[in-house]
Amino acid sequence: MKLKITLLLGFLFLCLPRPLYADAPIKVGIYQNNPMVFVDDSGPQGIFVDILNYIGTEEAWQIEYVPCMWDECLAKLENGEIDLLPSIAYSNKRTEIYDFNQQTVLTNWGQLYIPHSSTIQSFLDLHNSNIAVLKDDLHYRKFTELLTRFEIPVNFIETDSY
């Protein structure tokens, strides 16, 4: 187990963008995506924060966490205002803009939540439903594609955070 963690952390280190080797603080975007990354009263938290803090300690990095909403974090990463954005879903389109490591740290998925009293039993039952989604989220785009293929009209309500 220790070997796997060491190899994973070593690989993550090798895949980091060049600016991370500078003496300046490494700016890391952080948004509310518990348990992956999030901010609470104690400050930045989450699985990726723990990994980055460990690497930062080992490599004597200064890490500066930059809280932002999801879409703001993406814009900051693209504009170079932050150096890293942990917990970002991979897509071919995103590889044209961002550098990704080749090793999966965690697998993430989208999930649909419904009230206990709901009669929804399948995707077909979502016809004309109101569905809250995270704006600019990859799962949102894929879910839209799925519903479009099945010709299921829904009303998406875009939000800035989970």
Side-chain angles (χ1 to χ4, degrees), residues 112-115 120 125-133 143 153-158:
L112 185 66
Y113 292 91
I114 58 174
I120 294 173
D125 297 332
L126 295 174
H127 189 271
N128 290 331
S129 294
N130 292 321
I131 301 174
V133 293
F143 188 50
V154 299
N155 178 40
F156 286 113
I157 301 166
E158 294 183 342

Side-chain angles (χ1 to χ4, degrees), residues 6 9-14 16 20-24 26 51-63:
T6 303
L9 293 176
F11 185 79
L12 285 173
F13 174 75
L14 292 174
L16 294 173
L20 297 180
Y21 301 112
D23 291 333
I26 297 165
I51 292 170
L52 283 172
N53 287 344
Y54 176 81
I55 294 171
T57 299
E58 293 295 309
E59 299 299 324
W61 291 350
Q62 292 178 283
I63 298 175

Side-chain angles (χ1 to χ4, degrees), residues 20-36:
L20 297 180
Y21 301 112
D23 291 333
I26 297 165
K27 294 183 180 179
V28 178
I30 188 167
Y31 61 102
Q32 298 302 105
N33 185 8
N34 192 340
M36 308 294 194

Side-chain angles (χ1 to χ4, degrees), residues 28-31 66-91 94 97-98 100 134-138 141 160:
V28 178
I30 188 167
Y31 61 102
V66 179
C68 42
M69 298 303 252
W70 171 244
D71 56 339
E72 293 173 323
C73 284
L74 282 176
K76 286 178 184 288
L77 182 63
E78 191 168 344
N79 295 331
E81 295 175 53
I82 59 175
D83 302 305
L84 282 173
L85 181 57
S87 193
I88 175 173
Y90 175 91
S91 74
R94 286 182 176 167
I97 304 169
Y98 312 118
F100 285 83
L134 178 63
K135 180 175 39 175
D136 296 325
D137 183 60
L138 187 61
R141 282 191 252 149
D160 290 324

